[in-house]
Amino acid sequence: MYILLSGTPPFSDDDDHITFSRILNAKYSFNGPEWKNISPQAKSLVRNLLQPDIKKRYSALEALNDPWFKSVLGEPTLDKPLAISTLQNLKQFRVNF
């Protein structure tokens, strides 16, 4: 979900040790132009999906029942355009993966 909204993975770094540290500490951010037009509700869903405590983390069913997800089901368009950097990030992510 994080990648689909921003085009970048939540914990990436050029240094694998830093990446693993970020994963273990659940260190991610919603900074950057990609997140400017992303709603607080969508960010809340991402937070619930990236919750480090497995007892609190959303299951797939909980994610599908999240208010944000329900609000966008069936809507073919976005109310605000994605940042151009999101598309560029997705293209670069695909190349690097």
Side-chain angles (χ1 to χ4, degrees):
M1 187 67 148
Y2 188 101
I3 292 170
L4 289 173
L5 290 172
S6 70
T8 62
F11 307 111
S12 68
D13 192 275
D14 292 336
D15 183 327
D16 287 343
H17 295 291
I18 294 173
T19 298
F20 292 130
S21 174
R22 287 180 179 171
I23 292 169
L24 292 173
N25 295 304
K27 296 256 185 188
Y28 60 91
S29 89
F30 295 127
N31 295 329
E34 300 82 11
W35 292 100
K36 180 181 175 193
N37 290 329
I38 304 300
S39 72
Q41 296 83 7
K43 292 175 186 176
S44 176
L45 173 57
V46 171
R47 278 189 205 94
N48 284 310
L49 291 169
L50 293 176
Q51 170 59 245
D53 184 344
I54 195 165
K55 293 177 184 174
K56 296 178 183 177
R57 186 180 312 140
Y58 267 14
S59 66
L61 183 58
E62 288 171 315
L64 288 172
N65 286 314
D66 182 85
W68 177 82
F69 207 95
K70 284 185 166 186
S71 75
V72 298
L73 284 177
E75 283 189 30
T77 59
L78 298 170
D79 59 344
K80 294 181 180 176
L82 291 174
I84 191 68
S85 57
T86 300
L87 180 58
Q88 293 166 338
N89 291 340
L90 282 170
K91 287 179 181 178
Q92 187 62 38
F93 179 74
R94 185 184 64 105
V95 169
N96 292 334
F97 192 67

